[in-house]
Amino acid sequence: MIQFDHVYVERAVRDAPVTRDLLARLQPPRVTGIDDAQRMFKRPGQDFARQKRRPRLILARKRPPFLYAGTDRVASFGGERAVHYNDMVRNCLYDCDYCFLQGMHRSANILVNVNIEDYVAAVDDALAQDGSLYLSISYLSDLLGFERSLGLVRRWVEIARSRPGLEVEVRTKSDGYAAIQDMDPHDGIILTWSISPDEIARRHEAGTASSPQRLLDAGRAIARGWRVRLCIDPVIATDGWETSYRSLVDTVFRRLDPAGVEAVSFGVFRMHPDFLDRITAFRRSAALDTGVEHQGDVASYPEALRQEVFSVLQRHLARHMPAERIHAVHG
Ligand code: SF4
């Protein structure tokens, strides 16, 4: 359970059910009412790095939109279906060097939009219009990492159960599976573990679960009957990357039965150039400044290196899985 010393609550949601539930769970020592959470969250001149060390929780009411269309930097697993994401939670308790949220948000505080009924209504509208929806609920956070504190994945599992056509992806680098392992699996939920070579995780993914722990949890989820996918993204092409990522793939399929892994996606490091500029202004990281170049609306490795990563991973994954279950993401 994460402890927040200080929780800000927008007065408009003081009595909302999710607010009451979270305050009862978290028992924060200090709660302050505010008028406008968005203004607080977006205020210029905030010290992102300092806030990251001790984030505060902000409970807010979100106004539309409640669904966002993903770009090709978001899409994975074949892009055969449009990906949508929502922003019930913005920001993360982990501190990955390459996290684009550092460039997207002015604040590192954790913003939770508690009006879940509006997010669900937007899902229902999309389902009524299109018959199906692929929704990522953890694009702007690691929701399963927060599960012991916020309990929001559990809510979305129940929301999905009564909505045929809705697929909800929960992507994680956490050890939070234990917080939902008592639940009956549901086919509309896809648990996706984002995995990295252990040395990359230790060096660049501060606070996340170790790679062995992620694989252990993925194995437990498969055994329980959940749909499980894996995601090797972003590939960080530092010295020795080829050996590290080949070894990762071999380790994965020594520990997990390929038949239980629905799909694997991979993609190289990439980011909106504006976000990268903002991040490198306050954070020097080898993950971000080794050979990354601006290429129009994306910053990534040079094309030749991207193709090499693509080719190595595609070939190596294909030793373990049929090609139709392997998806490359090149945003
Ligand atoms: S786990 Fe994901 S959302 Fe959290 S800091 Fe790392 S990259 Fe960002």
Side-chain angles (χ1 to χ4, degrees), residues 107-121:
S107 170
N109 289 326
I110 311 297
L111 179 71
V112 177
N113 293 309
V114 299
N115 46 322
I116 192 167
E117 63 285 356
D118 290 322
Y119 287 94
V120 175

Side-chain angles (χ1 to χ4, degrees), residues 52 91-96 98-101 138-142 173 205 208:
K52 189 79 195 172
N91 283 335
C92 185
L93 71 166
Y94 305 135
D95 193 13
C96 301
Y98 52 74
C99 183
F100 72 97
L101 298 175
S138 47
Y139 177 56
L140 299 173
S141 184
D142 188 322
K173 297 187 182 87
E205 298 172 354
T208 61

